[in-house]
Amino acid sequence: MPQNAHTVPINFATDPSRYRHWRLDCAGTVAALTLDVDPAGGLFPGTELKLNSYDLGVDIELADAVTRLRFEHPEVRAVVLRSGKANVFCAGANIGALARASHAHKVNFCKFTNETRLAIEDASGHSGQSYLAALGGTAAGGGYELALACDWIMLIDDRRSVVSLPELALLGVLPGTGGLTRLTDKRRVRRDRADLFCASEEGARGARALDWRLVDEIVTPSSWDEKVAERARALAATSDRPQDAKGIALPALEHEHADDAITYRHVAVALDRGGRRATITVRGPTGVPGDLAGVHAAGAGFWPLAMARELDDAILHLRFNEPELGIIVFRSEGDPVAVLAADALLEAHRGDWLVREIRLLLKRVFKRIDVTSRSLFALIEPGSCFAGSLAELAFAADRALMFAGTRAGDNRRPATLTLSPLNLGAYPMGNDLTRLATRFLGDPDGLANAAARVGDALTAEEAEALGLVTASYDEVDWDEEIRLTLEERASFSADALTGLEANLRFPGPETMETRIFARLSAWQNWIFQRPNAIGEEGTLKRYGTGLRPRFDPERV
Amino acid sequence: MPQNAHTVPINFATDPSRYRHWRLDCAGTVAALTLDVDPAGGLFPGTELKLNSYDLGVDIELADAVTRLRFEHPEVRAVVLRSGKANVFCAGANIGALARASHAHKVNFCKFTNETRLAIEDASGHSGQSYLAALGGTAAGGGYELALACDWIMLIDDRRSVVSLPELALLGVLPGTGGLTRLTDKRRVRRDRADLFCASEEGARGARALDWRLVDEIVTPSSWDEKVAERARALAATSDRPQDAKGIALPALEHEHADDAITYRHVAVALDRGGRRATITVRGPTGVPGDLAGVHAAGAGFWPLAMARELDDAILHLRFNEPELGIIVFRSEGDPVAVLAADALLEAHRGDWLVREIRLLLKRVFKRIDVTSRSLFALIEPGSCFAGSLAELAFAADRALMFAGTRAGDNRRPATLTLSPLNLGAYPMGNDLTRLATRFLGDPDGLANAAARVGDALTAEEAEALGLVTASYDEVDWDEEIRLTLEERASFSADALTGLEANLRFPGPETMETRIFARLSAWQNWIFQRPNAIGEEGTLKRYGTGLRPRFDPERV
């Protein structure tokens, strides 16, 4: 059994007043997000976070800041990422923490940091909030990868500050947060130059960094502050964010943790350790505002936003703190009509900045589910409300199973599945297709037939005939089929399931995002298992000891 | 150190007279390729190849047959893949052989079998030779994956024959020869059905197999032979292969093996075990035929064909038999004008069936190089002939280094690099872009500038300025730079290099082919390292023992 470096549950809730590693300063249209890592503030005891190196705790704060900037600061149009330490922007992931972490934690840590960097790109791509990496000192490894997620990279030209990806040369692993993919696919660095750069411990500075497209601008120290401010203003000027809007505060989520359950307001998680599964039940809204003003007034209490934040927290909790629960079962309870009413608000007011943010957050939460390495089942039962946005959970699942008819003596509504316009475009997957388009990749007519039924409460028979669910069972078979299915799934090799799902969930086209999660991450996961990295004489074990690693030279 | 199951070098040379597992019967336009595995004919001692299961030796014969059908049988327009055993088409890769193989052998085995299946698709896609999988019995695992590589899959509808991918359920690994990718991307099986199918040991038969797109046609036993013959004729009718052409025999390659060298006619391999590298020197042609008739008369002796076959054999030898040589250095010697003359023939007569086959073989050999997990360097030196087709080796390399000027006292021609029209389209990579287009992904002007210089013998300065080589050095620096570069490369973690190169060589778009080699294979390699598969209580160790595997349930 792998050793986990952490014994207390990891908690993803934070806010700027509690940050230990970042400072968020908002002043008008430009915000500054300053990395100033507290070396003693590592998530796990015994880790010293030197040189602005980070562990998961640092990235949890960054993820929080990126989200809050979007919801709480509609006025912010550009964000400057900078360092609070002299001569160093960020030294990347902390190697001591990485070396001591279990394999599962390494992989989950990289996945989360990747999601945070993609959230930055999502903010600049869709939310009118540009990110400027102001590298006033060296950005190494994950530090440079953080810069690569920004719209514009400025490097101080002081003859000493470099950008580098020294993972290969120093650590015998790969850049784990998209660095390779962004070098070639986002910045279009020529592949042999990328090879040279990634094989060099020293990195590149000044004119070469610019010439090779590794940074966008180099600036002398004397004009640094002025040029950074100027560039931030220029980026801010391209934004479509509102002028005089009022932000929405994101208060801490209310929830209760018991040994076998987590209860939020709209989301309940039941933990079945014997059955190796977690059941996430999403409760639909009990009412929705009548208009856009009502949405703003409800703020973080507006059901789609509140539900999305809770669901996100639940997924992260399961990923990091419940690694042996290999199955997530999605259920829902409530009135589909109310869910559709919330969707109608999200669709009618899509041009509003807050509604846009809520849609984008839902998109990111569903994407987080897509890349969660647990088997996903959706059970669509009487009394459920898999409609519109919530139906995405059924389309994200590896299988969606639907109850046909009702149970004797059960007076709840028979199960229905209802599409809303949001299923047809609001929530693209990492492959840039909607889940429905991904589902019907080989069957464009099937997609059109389903789309034609937007708004119709589809019975199990109809949903199955339309190809929207995997199978349906009536009262006679349901309990037994579900039990067998979940027991069988729990009996399979956890690793093989992870690989299977990572392949089958993303048919068809690939994007930079899917390449980061698949090509890059799968290779990194492999390397993270190999003796050359984690053996007694491997790079991660020997890093910082003064001893050189010993490698098995065999090429696989 | 991993244990290799083989101690004698693996030899890739064979011909139909020596096949132990396949029979090739050519009769007019339709050929039959019959799998009838000799259970005692395993490549490694102690392996019993039951139920038409295969090991590398079986696939070496298949790869040979696929190539010979193209060159030796221009009359063959359709190939029927069938089984010589009752009730079973093919049970897939032999698990005993797989379980005993080293990790490196497992990975190389899967890579080679993937290349063979892609060669089948290349024959049907570009060579006018369609493949029909005639599943007269069950096709399981790799057996069904072989069928998936064919144009048309017929399954006998006898209430017992199934297609299946039982790897997850039976073995705790993934289908390793493209099965998952071809299910979703080629056959467009809906993803939840693919999940159901891949989680089932039993597979699918009859109407369900057809309904789910797993096969193209089901046929009752009574009409089986007739329907197969009919379908083969229909496929043959779509071919553009010539009517009365004479095939080209592919004789065994002449070569000499010494401990530190392999010498073919046009290719020489120097093995430097201390330096952990192999240097492959390709000698250019000494003369080329004057016309197409001369090309046909030269047959397998025509330089591009002979060189391609030798290079392919050398690469496979290094992959399987020299795993510790982590670097391949490409050199060339000869007259660039003669290489360009050969290219001119390949371009002028591209409509000729034999010339087409030679171009397609070169394409496949270069692709084999692209996915070879060794660091690739091209050294472009005085007296070399990196022109046209041979320049692809420089563009396939992770870095191409060019000698500027000449050495004092050396009267050979200064190094030049010359493009031919073939560099602009004849040899797409797995990503469906040429190596030049891949190189200039971020710089379309750079691509146009390079393309404008087709036919010009570019000096080192010109080639570097055009972005066609990574760097150039003159006499003063060359020896030291090359020594340092190769020594540094040899010092890095072999695994991290494999991952790095697998990412950087394939920027930009992905295809089914790159997805098979990257997404699927990288996950499979990871699974092949995990205790759940290869631990003492893992699936591969316990398969066939009657004991159930024990799994660590942790999800990563």
Side-chain angles (χ1 to χ4, degrees):
Chain A
M1 292 285 290
Q3 275 273 299
N4 254 304
H6 60 282
T7 47
V8 293
I10 294 171
N11 180 0
F12 293 85
T14 187
D15 67 70
S17 73
R18 294 194 283 160
Y19 292 173
R20 289 188 72 165
H21 309 295
W22 292 92
R23 282 198 313 274
L24 177 56
D25 302 293
C26 296
T29 61
V30 175
L33 198 43
T34 306
L35 180 62
D36 196 358
V37 175
D38 174 0
L43 196 59
F44 308 130
T47 309
E48 194 193 351
L49 303 178
K50 283 190 279 197
L51 294 171
N52 262 359
S53 64
Y54 61 83
D55 67 2
L56 177 65
V58 178
D59 217 67
I60 287 173
E61 293 182 4
L62 174 59
D64 182 76
V66 170
T67 302
R68 286 184 193 281
L69 276 162
R70 301 170 75 156
F71 282 96
E72 300 189 343
H73 297 282
E75 77 285 1
V76 169
R77 297 164 165 242
V79 183
V80 179
L81 279 187
R82 65 186 185 190
S83 167
K85 292 184 166 41
N87 301 326
V88 61
F89 173 73
C90 170
N94 183 273
I95 305 310
L98 197 66
R100 278 200 298 278
S102 69
H103 182 63
H105 184 81
K106 284 190 189 83
V107 170
N108 270 314
F109 166 64
C110 286
K111 189 178 285 181
F112 182 81
T113 52
N114 270 313
E115 289 170 321
T116 306
R117 277 130 201 82
L118 288 163
I120 289 175
E121 290 178 328
D122 187 58
S124 42
H126 303 289
S127 203
Q129 232 167 32
S130 298
Y131 276 74
L132 167 61
L135 310 182
T138 286
Y144 177 49
E145 290 178 290
L146 178 55
L148 285 169
C150 296
D151 298 271
W152 191 265
I153 306 176
M154 301 176 76
L155 175 63
I156 196 161
D157 190 15
D158 60 2
R159 298 181 161 274
R160 116 188 112 186
S161 295
V162 304
V163 294
S164 69
L165 291 176
E167 284 85 348
L168 173 80
L170 272 185
L171 302 170
V173 301
L174 299 185
T177 31
L180 301 184
T181 309
R182 287 199 178 82
L183 270 191
T184 56
D185 283 43
K186 182 178 185 180
R187 303 197 61 91
R188 304 285 198 191
V189 175
R190 216 176 67 204
R191 53 166 282 214
D192 54 344
R193 287 177 168 171
D195 181 272
L196 265 172
F197 178 66
C198 295
S200 139
E201 222 174 285
E202 297 78 26
R205 60 184 164 82
R208 166 167 287 196
L210 186 64
D211 184 43
W212 283 20
R213 305 175 179 231
L214 301 168
V215 304
D216 294 295
E217 189 175 0
I218 53 175
V219 179
T220 55
S222 61
S223 56
W224 178 251
D225 290 340
E226 177 199 338
K227 291 282 189 188
V228 168
E230 197 175 284
R231 180 63 63 184
R233 280 193 303 272
L235 286 172
T238 66
S239 175
D240 65 351
R241 285 177 80 82
Q243 293 285 358
D244 299 305
K246 195 166 164 303
I248 295 297
L250 298 179
L253 299 174
E254 293 166 35
H255 56 101
E256 284 175 25
H257 268 256
D259 183 53
D260 60 355
I262 311 164
T263 313
Y264 304 86
R265 266 196 74 190
H266 308 288
V267 171
V269 186
L271 309 170
D272 174 357
R273 295 207 171 77
R276 297 221 170 106
R277 62 178 179 263
T279 300
I280 297 183
T281 302
V282 179
R283 298 193 196 93
T286 48
V288 296
D291 56 17
L292 181 60
V295 171
H296 281 259
F302 182 45
W303 177 84
L305 174 53
M307 181 274 293
R309 292 180 68 213
E310 293 175 359
L311 187 55
D312 204 37
D313 193 67
I315 294 289
L316 289 172
H317 174 79
L318 291 173
R319 273 197 198 167
F320 280 88
N321 300 320
E322 297 286 355
E324 296 197 356
L325 302 185
I327 299 173
I328 297 177
V329 176
F330 290 110
R331 297 180 65 257
S332 67
E333 289 175 3
D335 181 2
V337 174
V339 178
L340 293 171
D343 269 19
L345 283 165
L346 294 179
E347 185 65 6
H349 306 292
R350 57 190 299 177
D352 174 70
W353 76 269
L354 175 59
V355 168
R356 178 168 77 175
E357 289 306 336
I358 294 168
R359 290 166 60 122
L360 290 170
L361 177 64
L362 277 161
K363 177 187 74 171
R364 295 197 300 282
V365 174
F366 294 138
K367 282 187 183 189
R368 195 168 335 251
I369 292 170
D370 291 331
V371 295
T372 293
S373 61
R374 308 293 165 96
S375 297
L376 307 174
F377 288 84
L379 301 186
I380 307 172
E381 296 160 288
S384 67
C385 56
F386 284 103
S389 295
L390 278 191
E392 288 296 310
L393 295 175
F395 305 141
D398 299 302
R399 300 184 203 166
L401 305 171
M402 194 159 176
F403 196 108
T406 51
R407 289 179 197 269
D410 182 353
N411 61 3
R412 291 176 299 177
R413 275 181 308 279
T416 55
L417 180 72
T418 315
L419 300 181
S420 87
L422 275 72
N423 300 115
L424 304 179
Y427 309 124
M429 299 173 60
N431 65 9
D432 228 13
L433 300 179
T434 62
R435 279 172 200 78
L436 277 182
T438 300
R439 184 174 186 81
F440 289 108
L441 207 56
D443 184 10
D445 290 347
L447 180 60
N449 291 340
R453 302 296 299 273
V454 163
D456 295 350
L458 303 167
T459 63
E461 292 74 12
E462 289 172 316
E464 189 177 7
L466 283 165
L468 291 170
V469 299
T470 312
S472 70
Y473 307 105
D474 64 15
E475 183 183 12
V476 175
D477 294 320
W478 177 264
D479 291 345
E480 185 71 356
E481 286 289 346
I482 302 303
R483 185 181 67 76
L484 287 174
T485 294
L486 297 178
E487 283 180 6
E488 182 191 49
R489 198 74 170 193
S491 75
F492 292 141
S493 160
D495 308 315
L497 284 172
T498 291
L500 181 82
E501 292 153 7
N503 276 276
L504 295 184
R505 288 181 192 166
F506 297 93
E510 300 254 357
T511 63
M512 196 175 71
E513 184 169 331
T514 61
R515 286 161 61 82
I516 287 171
F517 284 116
R519 185 183 277 270
L520 175 60
S521 296
W523 281 110
Q524 179 76 309
N525 292 1
W526 176 76
I527 293 165
F528 276 159
Q529 282 280 293
R530 299 277 295 161
N532 283 342
I534 56 162
E536 283 309 314
E537 303 180 319
T539 46
L540 293 178
K541 281 284 168 62
R542 291 213 156 163
Y543 183 78
T545 64
L547 295 170
R548 291 181 63 84
R550 281 169 61 101
F551 292 133
D552 177 352
E554 185 177 67
R555 269 301 195 108
V556 176
Chain B
M1 291 281 292
Q3 277 271 302
N4 255 304
H6 59 281
T7 48
V8 291
I10 295 172
N11 180 1
F12 293 84
T14 187
D15 67 70
S17 73
R18 294 194 285 159
Y19 292 172
R20 287 188 73 167
H21 309 293
W22 291 92
R23 282 197 314 274
L24 176 57
D25 302 293
C26 297
T29 62
V30 175
L33 197 43
T34 306
L35 180 62
D36 196 357
V37 174
D38 175 359
L43 197 59
F44 307 130
T47 310
E48 193 193 352
L49 304 177
K50 282 189 279 196
L51 293 172
N52 262 0
S53 64
Y54 60 83
D55 67 2
L56 177 65
V58 177
D59 216 67
I60 287 173
E61 293 182 4
L62 174 59
D64 182 76
V66 171
T67 303
R68 285 184 195 279
L69 275 163
R70 300 169 76 156
F71 282 97
E72 301 189 343
H73 297 283
E75 78 284 2
V76 169
R77 298 165 165 242
V79 182
V80 179
L81 279 187
R82 66 186 185 190
S83 166
K85 292 185 166 41
N87 300 327
V88 60
F89 174 73
C90 169
N94 184 273
I95 306 311
L98 197 65
R100 278 200 297 279
S102 68
H103 181 63
H105 184 81
K106 284 190 190 79
V107 171
N108 269 313
F109 167 64
C110 286
K111 188 177 285 179
F112 181 81
T113 51
N114 270 313
E115 291 171 318
T116 305
R117 276 130 201 82
L118 288 164
I120 288 174
E121 289 178 327
D122 186 60
S124 42
H126 303 289
S127 205
Q129 233 166 32
S130 299
Y131 276 72
L132 167 61
L135 310 183
T138 286
Y144 177 49
E145 289 179 290
L146 177 56
L148 285 169
C150 296
D151 298 88
W152 191 265
I153 305 176
M154 300 176 79
L155 175 63
I156 196 162
D157 191 13
D158 60 1
R159 300 181 158 272
R160 118 188 110 187
S161 295
V162 303
V163 295
S164 69
L165 291 175
E167 284 85 348
L168 172 80
L170 271 185
L171 302 169
V173 300
L174 300 184
T177 30
L180 301 184
T181 309
R182 286 198 180 82
L183 269 192
T184 56
D185 283 43
K186 183 178 184 179
R187 302 197 63 90
R188 304 287 198 191
V189 175
R190 217 176 66 203
R191 53 166 283 215
D192 56 343
R193 287 177 167 172
D195 181 272
L196 265 172
F197 178 65
C198 295
S200 137
E201 221 174 286
E202 298 76 28
R205 62 184 163 83
R208 166 167 285 195
L210 186 64
D211 184 43
W212 283 21
R213 304 175 179 233
L214 301 168
V215 304
D216 295 295
E217 190 174 358
I218 52 175
V219 180
T220 54
S222 61
S223 56
W224 177 251
D225 290 339
E226 179 199 338
K227 291 283 188 186
V228 168
E230 198 176 284
R231 180 63 63 183
R233 279 193 304 272
L235 286 171
T238 67
S239 172
D240 65 351
R241 288 178 77 83
Q243 293 285 357
D244 299 303
K246 196 167 162 305
I248 295 297
L250 298 179
L253 299 174
E254 294 167 34
H255 58 103
E256 284 176 22
H257 269 257
D259 183 52
D260 60 355
I262 311 164
T263 313
Y264 303 86
R265 267 195 74 190
H266 308 287
V267 172
V269 186
L271 310 170
D272 175 357
R273 296 205 172 76
R276 297 219 170 107
R277 63 178 178 264
T279 301
I280 297 183
T281 302
V282 179
R283 298 194 196 93
T286 48
V288 295
D291 57 16
L292 182 61
V295 170
H296 281 258
F302 181 44
W303 177 82
L305 175 54
M307 182 273 294
R309 292 180 68 211
E310 293 175 0
L311 187 57
D312 204 38
D313 192 67
I315 294 288
L316 289 172
H317 175 79
L318 291 173
R319 273 195 197 169
F320 280 89
N321 300 320
E322 296 286 353
E324 296 198 356
L325 303 184
I327 299 173
I328 296 177
V329 176
F330 289 111
R331 296 180 65 257
S332 67
E333 289 175 3
D335 182 1
V337 174
V339 178
L340 294 171
D343 269 19
L345 283 165
L346 294 179
E347 185 65 5
H349 305 293
R350 58 191 298 179
D352 174 70
W353 76 270
L354 175 60
V355 168
R356 177 168 79 176
E357 288 306 336
I358 294 169
R359 290 166 60 122
L360 290 170
L361 177 64
L362 277 160
K363 177 186 76 171
R364 295 196 302 281
V365 174
F366 294 138
K367 283 187 182 188
R368 188 153 1 236
I369 292 170
D370 292 331
V371 294
T372 294
S373 62
R374 309 295 166 96
S375 297
L376 306 175
F377 288 85
L379 301 185
I380 307 173
E381 296 162 289
S384 67
C385 55
F386 284 102
S389 296
L390 277 191
E392 288 296 310
L393 295 176
F395 305 141
D398 299 301
R399 300 184 203 168
L401 305 170
M402 193 158 175
F403 196 107
T406 52
R407 291 179 196 268
D410 182 352
N411 59 5
R412 290 176 300 180
R413 275 181 309 279
T416 55
L417 181 70
T418 314
L419 300 181
S420 85
L422 274 72
N423 300 113
L424 305 179
Y427 309 124
M429 298 172 62
N431 65 7
D432 227 14
L433 301 178
T434 63
R435 279 171 199 78
L436 277 181
T438 301
R439 184 174 187 81
F440 289 108
L441 207 56
D443 183 11
D445 292 346
L447 180 59
N449 292 339
R453 302 297 298 273
V454 162
D456 295 350
L458 304 167
T459 65
E461 292 76 9
E462 291 172 314
E464 190 176 7
L466 284 165
L468 292 169
V469 298
T470 312
S472 69
Y473 307 106
D474 64 14
E475 182 183 13
V476 176
D477 294 320
W478 178 264
D479 289 346
E480 186 70 355
E481 286 288 347
I482 301 303
R483 185 182 67 76
L484 287 173
T485 295
L486 297 178
E487 283 180 7
E488 183 192 48
R489 198 76 170 192
S491 76
F492 292 140
S493 160
D495 308 315
L497 284 172
T498 291
L500 182 82
E501 293 153 6
N503 276 277
L504 296 184
R505 287 181 192 166
F506 297 92
E510 300 254 359
T511 63
M512 195 175 73
E513 184 169 332
T514 62
R515 286 161 61 83
I516 288 172
F517 284 116
R519 184 182 278 271
L520 174 60
S521 296
W523 282 111
Q524 178 77 308
N525 292 0
W526 177 74
I527 293 163
F528 275 160
Q529 282 279 292
R530 301 276 295 161
N532 283 342
I534 57 162
E536 283 309 314
E537 303 181 319
T539 46
L540 293 178
K541 281 282 167 64
R542 292 213 156 163
Y543 184 78
T545 65
L547 295 171
R548 290 181 64 84
R550 281 170 62 100
F551 292 134
D552 177 353
E554 184 176 66
R555 266 301 193 109
V556 175

